[in-house]
């Protein structure tokens, strides 16, 4: 279904904390170019914390390789320049600026000569943004703002993008558009890591998934297999994975 090659991002033995107590307790993780990897798991499992750890926002140990380059000792901002983008949960664009101005702010990271082409290829991925360019970002709908966030993260054509709950609070139609856009990202070769509450829809568009619980990765498998797995269906319905004979894989 997808051309999956060498890992675009590979993380080994990741442990992370906010200062007191370990939240992420030894996770191995990888995403290939053009692969969509889903992370699911109950509230408080450490999904958001794991993305923050990969991006270098919190105290973390372990090895993080991005396209063959070691980045775990690199500051978060610099990780973006190297090709790792992060879209945190919630909206954080500049509400008072227009959609175009927001995109232009993100484009400032690129050399001037590349900005026009980068804007154009981003708009090709996000056609609905074209008619919103002059609108104040704060007046756009929740779904439109999520697209703005994703577009801002993608203007620099990262190797890997980390998306934390991109459909949270969106209508079903807006969510569907976000999922469709994620599917389209495959063709660009970007590796996508998506943390999702909407596990079923995420598993339907994803290639592989990790199931986190209490700071560890309890299951790693192909999404299509997980969709058919009775134990995973129980998790979808809000059950605990505690008492289930889960497998752990590398
Ligand atoms: N800024 C913080 N400072 C201290 N502890 C935190 C902080 N953010 C999260 N935690 C703790 O880390 C643990 C994991 O939280 P995290 O937000 O990563 O979970 P999650 O899987 O993303 O959950 P959700 O599905 O609710 O978003 C929780 O016990 C949470 O209380
Ligand atoms: Mg979270």
């Amino acid at each position: 279904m997808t051309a999956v090659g060498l890992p675009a991002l590979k993380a080994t033995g990741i442990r992370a904390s906010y200062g007191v107590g370990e939240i992420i307790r030894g996770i191995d993780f990888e995403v290939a170019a053009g692969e969509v990897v889903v992370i699911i798991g109950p509230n408080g499992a450490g999904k958001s914390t794991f993305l923050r750890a990969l991006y270098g926002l919190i105290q973390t140990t372990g090895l993080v390789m991005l396209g063959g380059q070691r980045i775990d000792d690199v500051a978060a901002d610099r990780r973006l320049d190297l090709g790792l983008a992060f879209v945190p949960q919630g909206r954080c664009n500049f509400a008072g600026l227009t959609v175009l101005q927001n995109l232009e702010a993100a484009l400032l990271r690129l050399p001037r000569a590349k900005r026009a082409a980068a804007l154009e290829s981003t708009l090709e991925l996000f056609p609905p943004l074209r008619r919103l360019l002059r609108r104040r970002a704060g007046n756009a709908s929740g779904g439109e703002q999520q697209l703005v966030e994703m577009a801002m993260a993608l203007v620099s054509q990262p190797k890997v993008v980390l998306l934390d709950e991109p459909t949270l609070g969106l209508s079903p139609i807006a969510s569907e558009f976000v999922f469709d856009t994620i599917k389209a990202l495959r063709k660009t070769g970007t590796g996508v890591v998506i943390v999702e509450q909407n596990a079923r829809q995420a598993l339907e568009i994803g290639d592989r998934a990790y199931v986190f619980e209490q700071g560890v990765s309890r299951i790693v498998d192909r999404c299509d297999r997980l969709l058919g797995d009775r134990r995973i269906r129980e998790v979808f319905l809000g059950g605990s994975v505690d008492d289930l004979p889960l497998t752990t894989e590398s």
Side-chain angles (χ1 to χ4, degrees):
M1 156 165 100
T2 310
V4 173
L6 287 173
L9 180 136
K10 186 175 170 76
T12 313
I14 300 301
R15 298 179 173 272
S17 90
Y18 292 98
V20 197
E22 205 167 59
I23 304 287
I24 299 301
R25 302 181 294 129
I27 289 182
D28 296 336
F29 182 91
E30 65 181 64
V31 54
E35 187 183 30
V36 176
V37 171
V38 177
I39 302 176
I40 57 177
N43 295 123
K47 306 180 297 294
S48 298
T49 301
F50 183 68
L51 296 191
R52 288 181 202 124
L54 289 181
Y55 198 61
L57 296 175
I58 58 170
Q59 202 179 309
T60 304
T61 61
L63 184 66
V64 185
M65 303 286 292
L66 182 72
Q69 180 175 5
R70 190 167 171 182
I71 61 161
D72 48 85
D73 50 357
V74 167
D77 227 32
R78 179 96 183 96
R79 291 186 200 198
L80 179 56
D81 290 331
L82 293 175
L84 180 63
F86 177 39
V87 182
Q89 198 173 316
R91 320 279 170 251
C92 55
N93 53 58
F94 303 108
L97 299 184
T98 65
V99 167
L100 180 59
Q101 287 166 333
N102 271 280
L103 294 173
E104 285 170 345
L107 285 163
L108 289 176
R109 291 189 161 269
L110 300 188
R112 190 177 294 268
K114 292 192 171 170
R115 290 177 195 163
L119 178 62
E120 188 49 36
S121 54
T122 304
L123 291 174
E124 275 166 28
L125 262 181
F126 297 89
L129 290 186
R130 275 188 206 277
R131 60 180 175 76
L132 298 174
L133 288 174
R134 312 249 160 247
R135 186 172 307 173
R136 270 178 47 144
N139 291 344
S141 73
E144 291 164 348
Q145 288 191 47
Q146 184 61 46
L147 296 185
V148 175
E149 302 291 345
M150 288 170 57
M152 288 173 72
L154 290 163
V155 287
S156 54
Q157 295 175 323
K159 296 184 179 80
V160 174
V161 62
L162 312 173
L163 303 171
D164 194 356
E165 308 276 10
T167 70
L168 194 71
L170 299 191
S171 70
I173 288 174
S175 300
E176 201 153 316
F177 193 83
V178 168
F179 283 124
D180 285 346
T181 305
I182 291 168
K183 274 195 282 191
L185 272 177
R186 272 205 190 90
K187 298 191 198 88
T188 70
T190 306
V192 181
V193 180
I194 167 174
V195 167
E196 253 303 320
Q197 293 281 343
N198 191 336
R200 177 167 298 279
Q201 257 182 305
L203 291 176
E204 278 167 0
I205 63 138
D207 297 305
R208 280 186 315 122
Y210 291 72
V211 183
F212 282 12
E213 195 187 38
Q214 295 179 11
V216 296
S217 169
R218 297 283 295 271
I219 304 178
V220 186
D221 207 344
R222 288 206 332 251
C223 290
D224 54 356
R225 296 221 318 222
L226 292 177
L227 273 171
D229 187 318
R230 181 190 57 81
R231 300 166 305 163
I232 295 300
R233 285 206 294 271
E234 287 179 32
V235 176
F236 288 154
L237 298 173
S240 166
V241 289
D242 265 350
D243 51 353
L244 298 169
L246 298 178
T247 53
T248 45
E249 280 180 37
S250 55

mmCIF file with all atom_site columns, all heavy atoms in Angstrom, residues 1-5 32-37 183 185-191 205-208:
data_model
loop_
_atom_site.group_PDB
_atom_site.id
_atom_site.type_symbol
_atom_site.label_atom_id
_atom_site.label_alt_id
_atom_site.label_comp_id
_atom_site.label_asym_id
_atom_site.label_entity_id
_atom_site.label_seq_id
_atom_site.pdbx_PDB_ins_code
_atom_site.Cartn_x
_atom_site.Cartn_y
_atom_site.Cartn_z
_atom_site.occupancy
_atom_site.B_iso_or_equiv
_atom_site.pdbx_formal_charge
_atom_site.auth_seq_id
_atom_site.auth_comp_id
_atom_site.auth_asym_id
_atom_site.auth_atom_id
_atom_site.pdbx_PDB_model_num
ATOM 1   N N   . MET A 1 1   ? 0.842  -1.208 0.000  1.00 0.00 ? 1   MET A N   1
ATOM 2   C CA  . MET A 1 1   ? 0.000  0.000  0.000  1.00 0.00 ? 1   MET A CA  1
ATOM 3   C C   . MET A 1 1   ? 0.869  1.246  0.000  1.00 0.00 ? 1   MET A C   1
ATOM 4   O O   . MET A 1 1   ? 0.572  2.247  -0.618 1.00 0.00 ? 1   MET A O   1
ATOM 5   C CB  . MET A 1 1   ? -0.905 -0.109 1.229  1.00 0.00 ? 1   MET A CB  1
ATOM 6   C CG  . MET A 1 1   ? -1.430 1.172  1.767  1.00 0.00 ? 1   MET A CG  1
ATOM 7   S SD  . MET A 1 1   ? -2.810 0.861  2.898  1.00 0.00 ? 1   MET A SD  1
ATOM 8   C CE  . MET A 1 1   ? -2.060 0.997  4.481  1.00 0.00 ? 1   MET A CE  1
ATOM 9   N N   . THR A 1 2   ? 2.034  1.136  0.687  1.00 0.00 ? 2   THR A N   1
ATOM 10  C CA  . THR A 1 2   ? 2.882  2.316  0.792  1.00 0.00 ? 2   THR A CA  1
ATOM 11  C C   . THR A 1 2   ? 4.336  1.910  0.559  1.00 0.00 ? 2   THR A C   1
ATOM 12  O O   . THR A 1 2   ? 4.763  0.854  0.984  1.00 0.00 ? 2   THR A O   1
ATOM 13  C CB  . THR A 1 2   ? 2.787  2.911  2.204  1.00 0.00 ? 2   THR A CB  1
ATOM 14  O OG1 . THR A 1 2   ? 1.432  3.043  2.533  1.00 0.00 ? 2   THR A OG1 1
ATOM 15  C CG2 . THR A 1 2   ? 3.433  4.277  2.269  1.00 0.00 ? 2   THR A CG2 1
ATOM 16  N N   . ALA A 1 3   ? 5.064  2.777  -0.101 1.00 0.00 ? 3   ALA A N   1
ATOM 17  C CA  . ALA A 1 3   ? 6.490  2.522  -0.258 1.00 0.00 ? 3   ALA A CA  1
ATOM 18  C C   . ALA A 1 3   ? 7.185  2.894  1.045  1.00 0.00 ? 3   ALA A C   1
ATOM 19  O O   . ALA A 1 3   ? 7.334  4.054  1.378  1.00 0.00 ? 3   ALA A O   1
ATOM 20  C CB  . ALA A 1 3   ? 7.034  3.361  -1.406 1.00 0.00 ? 3   ALA A CB  1
ATOM 21  N N   . VAL A 1 4   ? 7.536  1.875  1.791  1.00 0.00 ? 4   VAL A N   1
ATOM 22  C CA  . VAL A 1 4   ? 8.154  2.136  3.083  1.00 0.00 ? 4   VAL A CA  1
ATOM 23  C C   . VAL A 1 4   ? 9.622  1.762  2.999  1.00 0.00 ? 4   VAL A C   1
ATOM 24  O O   . VAL A 1 4   ? 9.974  0.637  2.697  1.00 0.00 ? 4   VAL A O   1
ATOM 25  C CB  . VAL A 1 4   ? 7.447  1.323  4.196  1.00 0.00 ? 4   VAL A CB  1
ATOM 26  C CG1 . VAL A 1 4   ? 8.180  1.462  5.506  1.00 0.00 ? 4   VAL A CG1 1
ATOM 27  C CG2 . VAL A 1 4   ? 6.009  1.801  4.348  1.00 0.00 ? 4   VAL A CG2 1
ATOM 28  N N   . GLY A 1 5   ? 10.466 2.724  3.256  1.00 0.00 ? 5   GLY A N   1
ATOM 29  C CA  . GLY A 1 5   ? 11.899 2.474  3.154  1.00 0.00 ? 5   GLY A CA  1
ATOM 30  C C   . GLY A 1 5   ? 12.567 2.547  4.502  1.00 0.00 ? 5   GLY A C   1
ATOM 31  O O   . GLY A 1 5   ? 12.024 2.062  5.496  1.00 0.00 ? 5   GLY A O   1
ATOM 32  N N   . ALA A 1 32  ? 8.693  5.535  8.767  1.00 0.00 ? 32  ALA A N   1
ATOM 33  C CA  . ALA A 1 32  ? 9.421  5.600  7.494  1.00 0.00 ? 32  ALA A CA  1
ATOM 34  C C   . ALA A 1 32  ? 8.923  6.767  6.659  1.00 0.00 ? 32  ALA A C   1
ATOM 35  O O   . ALA A 1 32  ? 7.855  7.323  6.924  1.00 0.00 ? 32  ALA A O   1
ATOM 36  C CB  . ALA A 1 32  ? 9.216  4.294  6.728  1.00 0.00 ? 32  ALA A CB  1
ATOM 37  N N   . ALA A 1 33  ? 9.676  7.116  5.644  1.00 0.00 ? 33  ALA A N   1
ATOM 38  C CA  . ALA A 1 33  ? 9.234  8.138  4.696  1.00 0.00 ? 33  ALA A CA  1
ATOM 39  C C   . ALA A 1 33  ? 7.926  7.681  4.060  1.00 0.00 ? 33  ALA A C   1
ATOM 40  O O   . ALA A 1 33  ? 7.809  6.519  3.655  1.00 0.00 ? 33  ALA A O   1
ATOM 41  C CB  . ALA A 1 33  ? 10.300 8.355  3.630  1.00 0.00 ? 33  ALA A CB  1
ATOM 42  N N   . GLY A 1 34  ? 6.952  8.567  4.015  1.00 0.00 ? 34  GLY A N   1
ATOM 43  C CA  . GLY A 1 34  ? 5.680  8.227  3.386  1.00 0.00 ? 34  GLY A CA  1
ATOM 44  C C   . GLY A 1 34  ? 4.807  7.297  4.192  1.00 0.00 ? 34  GLY A C   1
ATOM 45  O O   . GLY A 1 34  ? 3.798  6.802  3.697  1.00 0.00 ? 34  GLY A O   1
ATOM 46  N N   . GLU A 1 35  ? 5.188  7.070  5.437  1.00 0.00 ? 35  GLU A N   1
ATOM 47  C CA  . GLU A 1 35  ? 4.392  6.190  6.288  1.00 0.00 ? 35  GLU A CA  1
ATOM 48  C C   . GLU A 1 35  ? 3.552  7.024  7.262  1.00 0.00 ? 35  GLU A C   1
ATOM 49  O O   . GLU A 1 35  ? 3.999  8.057  7.753  1.00 0.00 ? 35  GLU A O   1
ATOM 50  C CB  . GLU A 1 35  ? 5.319  5.255  7.087  1.00 0.00 ? 35  GLU A CB  1
ATOM 51  C CG  . GLU A 1 35  ? 4.549  4.188  7.858  1.00 0.00 ? 35  GLU A CG  1
ATOM 52  C CD  . GLU A 1 35  ? 5.440  3.287  8.718  1.00 0.00 ? 35  GLU A CD  1
ATOM 53  O OE1 . GLU A 1 35  ? 6.492  3.754  9.178  1.00 0.00 ? 35  GLU A OE1 1
ATOM 54  O OE2 . GLU A 1 35  ? 5.061  2.131  8.921  1.00 0.00 ? 35  GLU A OE2 1
ATOM 55  N N   . VAL A 1 36  ? 2.345  6.542  7.534  1.00 0.00 ? 36  VAL A N   1
ATOM 56  C CA  . VAL A 1 36  ? 1.499  7.190  8.535  1.00 0.00 ? 36  VAL A CA  1
ATOM 57  C C   . VAL A 1 36  ? 1.441  6.264  9.746  1.00 0.00 ? 36  VAL A C   1
ATOM 58  O O   . VAL A 1 36  ? 0.933  5.142  9.662  1.00 0.00 ? 36  VAL A O   1
ATOM 59  C CB  . VAL A 1 36  ? 0.075  7.447  8.002  1.00 0.00 ? 36  VAL A CB  1
ATOM 60  C CG1 . VAL A 1 36  ? -0.809 8.042  9.108  1.00 0.00 ? 36  VAL A CG1 1
ATOM 61  C CG2 . VAL A 1 36  ? 0.120  8.384  6.799  1.00 0.00 ? 36  VAL A CG2 1
ATOM 62  N N   . VAL A 1 37  ? 1.999  6.733  10.857 1.00 0.00 ? 37  VAL A N   1
ATOM 63  C CA  . VAL A 1 37  ? 2.040  5.946  12.081 1.00 0.00 ? 37  VAL A CA  1
ATOM 64  C C   . VAL A 1 37  ? 1.113  6.578  13.111 1.00 0.00 ? 37  VAL A C   1
ATOM 65  O O   . VAL A 1 37  ? 1.175  7.782  13.361 1.00 0.00 ? 37  VAL A O   1
ATOM 66  C CB  . VAL A 1 37  ? 3.476  5.861  12.632 1.00 0.00 ? 37  VAL A CB  1
ATOM 67  C CG1 . VAL A 1 37  ? 3.482  5.221  14.011 1.00 0.00 ? 37  VAL A CG1 1
ATOM 68  C CG2 . VAL A 1 37  ? 4.361  5.060  11.683 1.00 0.00 ? 37  VAL A CG2 1
ATOM 69  N N   . LYS A 1 183 ? -3.652 11.488 4.526  1.00 0.00 ? 183 LYS A N   1
ATOM 70  C CA  . LYS A 1 183 ? -3.439 10.446 3.513  1.00 0.00 ? 183 LYS A CA  1
ATOM 71  C C   . LYS A 1 183 ? -2.655 11.003 2.325  1.00 0.00 ? 183 LYS A C   1
ATOM 72  O O   . LYS A 1 183 ? -1.754 10.359 1.799  1.00 0.00 ? 183 LYS A O   1
ATOM 73  C CB  . LYS A 1 183 ? -4.783 9.912  3.011  1.00 0.00 ? 183 LYS A CB  1
ATOM 74  C CG  . LYS A 1 183 ? -5.339 8.812  3.871  1.00 0.00 ? 183 LYS A CG  1
ATOM 75  C CD  . LYS A 1 183 ? -6.451 8.064  3.146  1.00 0.00 ? 183 LYS A CD  1
ATOM 76  C CE  . LYS A 1 183 ? -7.744 8.842  3.165  1.00 0.00 ? 183 LYS A CE  1
ATOM 77  N NZ  . LYS A 1 183 ? -8.910 8.084  2.710  1.00 0.00 ? 183 LYS A NZ  1
ATOM 78  N N   . LEU A 1 185 ? -0.543 13.300 2.338  1.00 0.00 ? 185 LEU A N   1
ATOM 79  C CA  . LEU A 1 185 ? 0.844  13.582 2.710  1.00 0.00 ? 185 LEU A CA  1
ATOM 80  C C   . LEU A 1 185 ? 1.775  12.437 2.353  1.00 0.00 ? 185 LEU A C   1
ATOM 81  O O   . LEU A 1 185 ? 2.969  12.632 2.130  1.00 0.00 ? 185 LEU A O   1
ATOM 82  C CB  . LEU A 1 185 ? 0.941  13.806 4.218  1.00 0.00 ? 185 LEU A CB  1
ATOM 83  C CG  . LEU A 1 185 ? 0.715  15.220 4.714  1.00 0.00 ? 185 LEU A CG  1
ATOM 84  C CD1 . LEU A 1 185 ? 0.776  15.237 6.221  1.00 0.00 ? 185 LEU A CD1 1
ATOM 85  C CD2 . LEU A 1 185 ? 1.780  16.122 4.125  1.00 0.00 ? 185 LEU A CD2 1
ATOM 86  N N   . ARG A 1 186 ? 1.244  11.223 2.343  1.00 0.00 ? 186 ARG A N   1
ATOM 87  C CA  . ARG A 1 186 ? 2.056  10.062 1.974  1.00 0.00 ? 186 ARG A CA  1
ATOM 88  C C   . ARG A 1 186 ? 2.797  10.279 0.671  1.00 0.00 ? 186 ARG A C   1
ATOM 89  O O   . ARG A 1 186 ? 3.952  9.950  0.551  1.00 0.00 ? 186 ARG A O   1
ATOM 90  C CB  . ARG A 1 186 ? 1.145  8.863  1.751  1.00 0.00 ? 186 ARG A CB  1
ATOM 91  C CG  . ARG A 1 186 ? 0.862  8.070  2.968  1.00 0.00 ? 186 ARG A CG  1
ATOM 92  C CD  . ARG A 1 186 ? 0.522  6.654  2.534  1.00 0.00 ? 186 ARG A CD  1
ATOM 93  N NE  . ARG A 1 186 ? 0.025  5.948  3.683  1.00 0.00 ? 186 ARG A NE  1
ATOM 94  C CZ  . ARG A 1 186 ? -1.261 5.915  4.010  1.00 0.00 ? 186 ARG A CZ  1
ATOM 95  N NH1 . ARG A 1 186 ? -2.159 6.496  3.235  1.00 0.00 ? 186 ARG A NH1 1
ATOM 96  N NH2 . ARG A 1 186 ? -1.647 5.287  5.094  1.00 0.00 ? 186 ARG A NH2 1
ATOM 97  N N   . LYS A 1 187 ? 2.046  10.857 -0.280 1.00 0.00 ? 187 LYS A N   1
ATOM 98  C CA  . LYS A 1 187 ? 2.632  10.996 -1.620 1.00 0.00 ? 187 LYS A CA  1
ATOM 99  C C   . LYS A 1 187 ? 3.813  11.957 -1.612 1.00 0.00 ? 187 LYS A C   1
ATOM 100 O O   . LYS A 1 187 ? 4.655  11.916 -2.498 1.00 0.00 ? 187 LYS A O   1
ATOM 101 C CB  . LYS A 1 187 ? 1.569  11.498 -2.604 1.00 0.00 ? 187 LYS A CB  1
ATOM 102 C CG  . LYS A 1 187 ? 0.413  10.546 -2.764 1.00 0.00 ? 187 LYS A CG  1
ATOM 103 C CD  . LYS A 1 187 ? -0.474 10.961 -3.947 1.00 0.00 ? 187 LYS A CD  1
ATOM 104 C CE  . LYS A 1 187 ? -1.834 10.316 -3.860 1.00 0.00 ? 187 LYS A CE  1
ATOM 105 N NZ  . LYS A 1 187 ? -2.797 11.108 -3.077 1.00 0.00 ? 187 LYS A NZ  1
ATOM 106 N N   . THR A 1 188 ? 3.867  12.845 -0.623 1.00 0.00 ? 188 THR A N   1
ATOM 107 C CA  . THR A 1 188 ? 4.979  13.784 -0.570 1.00 0.00 ? 188 THR A CA  1
ATOM 108 C C   . THR A 1 188 ? 6.207  13.133 0.059  1.00 0.00 ? 188 THR A C   1
ATOM 109 O O   . THR A 1 188 ? 7.277  13.721 0.080  1.00 0.00 ? 188 THR A O   1
ATOM 110 C CB  . THR A 1 188 ? 4.622  15.036 0.263  1.00 0.00 ? 188 THR A CB  1
ATOM 111 O OG1 . THR A 1 188 ? 4.527  14.654 1.652  1.00 0.00 ? 188 THR A OG1 1
ATOM 112 C CG2 . THR A 1 188 ? 3.297  15.640 -0.175 1.00 0.00 ? 188 THR A CG2 1
ATOM 113 N N   . GLY A 1 189 ? 6.036  11.932 0.619  1.00 0.00 ? 189 GLY A N   1
ATOM 114 C CA  . GLY A 1 189 ? 7.181  11.261 1.237  1.00 0.00 ? 189 GLY A CA  1
ATOM 115 C C   . GLY A 1 189 ? 7.403  11.654 2.687  1.00 0.00 ? 189 GLY A C   1
ATOM 116 O O   . GLY A 1 189 ? 8.329  11.171 3.330  1.00 0.00 ? 189 GLY A O   1
ATOM 117 N N   . THR A 1 190 ? 6.552  12.544 3.184  1.00 0.00 ? 190 THR A N   1
ATOM 118 C CA  . THR A 1 190 ? 6.673  12.930 4.592  1.00 0.00 ? 190 THR A CA  1
ATOM 119 C C   . THR A 1 190 ? 6.229  11.764 5.472  1.00 0.00 ? 190 THR A C   1
ATOM 120 O O   . THR A 1 190 ? 5.224  11.122 5.199  1.00 0.00 ? 190 THR A O   1
ATOM 121 C CB  . THR A 1 190 ? 5.753  14.143 4.883  1.00 0.00 ? 190 THR A CB  1
ATOM 122 O OG1 . THR A 1 190 ? 6.071  15.176 3.953  1.00 0.00 ? 190 THR A OG1 1
ATOM 123 C CG2 . THR A 1 190 ? 5.953  14.667 6.302  1.00 0.00 ? 190 THR A CG2 1
ATOM 124 N N   . GLY A 1 191 ? 6.975  11.500 6.517  1.00 0.00 ? 191 GLY A N   1
ATOM 125 C CA  . GLY A 1 191 ? 6.529  10.536 7.515  1.00 0.00 ? 191 GLY A CA  1
ATOM 126 C C   . GLY A 1 191 ? 5.594  11.253 8.479  1.00 0.00 ? 191 GLY A C   1
ATOM 127 O O   . GLY A 1 191 ? 5.888  12.365 8.913  1.00 0.00 ? 191 GLY A O   1
ATOM 128 N N   . ILE A 1 205 ? -6.805 5.115  8.244  1.00 0.00 ? 205 ILE A N   1
ATOM 129 C CA  . ILE A 1 205 ? -5.917 5.789  7.277  1.00 0.00 ? 205 ILE A CA  1
ATOM 130 C C   . ILE A 1 205 ? -4.439 5.487  7.526  1.00 0.00 ? 205 ILE A C   1
ATOM 131 O O   . ILE A 1 205 ? -3.603 5.774  6.686  1.00 0.00 ? 205 ILE A O   1
ATOM 132 C CB  . ILE A 1 205 ? -6.119 7.319  7.258  1.00 0.00 ? 205 ILE A CB  1
ATOM 133 C CG1 . ILE A 1 205 ? -5.763 7.925  8.630  1.00 0.00 ? 205 ILE A CG1 1
ATOM 134 C CG2 . ILE A 1 205 ? -7.520 7.702  6.838  1.00 0.00 ? 205 ILE A CG2 1
ATOM 135 C CD1 . ILE A 1 205 ? -4.993 9.196  8.497  1.00 0.00 ? 205 ILE A CD1 1
ATOM 136 N N   . GLY A 1 206 ? -4.113 4.914  8.689  1.00 0.00 ? 206 GLY A N   1
ATOM 137 C CA  . GLY A 1 206 ? -2.707 4.727  9.032  1.00 0.00 ? 206 GLY A CA  1
ATOM 138 C C   . GLY A 1 206 ? -2.119 3.441  8.471  1.00 0.00 ? 206 GLY A C   1
ATOM 139 O O   . GLY A 1 206 ? -2.848 2.541  8.029  1.00 0.00 ? 206 GLY A O   1
ATOM 140 N N   . ASP A 1 207 ? -0.790 3.356  8.498  1.00 0.00 ? 207 ASP A N   1
ATOM 141 C CA  . ASP A 1 207 ? -0.096 2.132  8.089  1.00 0.00 ? 207 ASP A CA  1
ATOM 142 C C   . ASP A 1 207 ? 0.184  1.237  9.291  1.00 0.00 ? 207 ASP A C   1
ATOM 143 O O   . ASP A 1 207 ? -0.156 0.071  9.279  1.00 0.00 ? 207 ASP A O   1
ATOM 144 C CB  . ASP A 1 207 ? 1.235  2.488  7.407  1.00 0.00 ? 207 ASP A CB  1
ATOM 145 C CG  . ASP A 1 207 ? 1.018  3.280  6.150  1.00 0.00 ? 207 ASP A CG  1
ATOM 146 O OD1 . ASP A 1 207 ? 0.266  2.807  5.281  1.00 0.00 ? 207 ASP A OD1 1
ATOM 147 O OD2 . ASP A 1 207 ? 1.559  4.395  6.029  1.00 0.00 ? 207 ASP A OD2 1
ATOM 148 N N   . ARG A 1 208 ? 0.817  1.813  10.312 1.00 0.00 ? 208 ARG A N   1
ATOM 149 C CA  . ARG A 1 208 ? 1.127  1.053  11.526 1.00 0.00 ? 208 ARG A CA  1
ATOM 150 C C   . ARG A 1 208 ? 0.677  1.857  12.724 1.00 0.00 ? 208 ARG A C   1
ATOM 151 O O   . ARG A 1 208 ? 0.515  3.070  12.649 1.00 0.00 ? 208 ARG A O   1
ATOM 152 C CB  . ARG A 1 208 ? 2.635  0.809  11.644 1.00 0.00 ? 208 ARG A CB  1
ATOM 153 C CG  . ARG A 1 208 ? 3.148  -0.331 10.792 1.00 0.00 ? 208 ARG A CG  1
ATOM 154 C CD  . ARG A 1 208 ? 4.625  -0.598 11.075 1.00 0.00 ? 208 ARG A CD  1
ATOM 155 N NE  . ARG A 1 208 ? 5.380  0.631  11.124 1.00 0.00 ? 208 ARG A NE  1
ATOM 156 C CZ  . ARG A 1 208 ? 6.093  1.041  12.174 1.00 0.00 ? 208 ARG A CZ  1
ATOM 157 N NH1 . ARG A 1 208 ? 6.181  0.309  13.260 1.00 0.00 ? 208 ARG A NH1 1
ATOM 158 N NH2 . ARG A 1 208 ? 6.748  2.185  12.112 1.00 0.00 ? 208 ARG A NH2 1
#
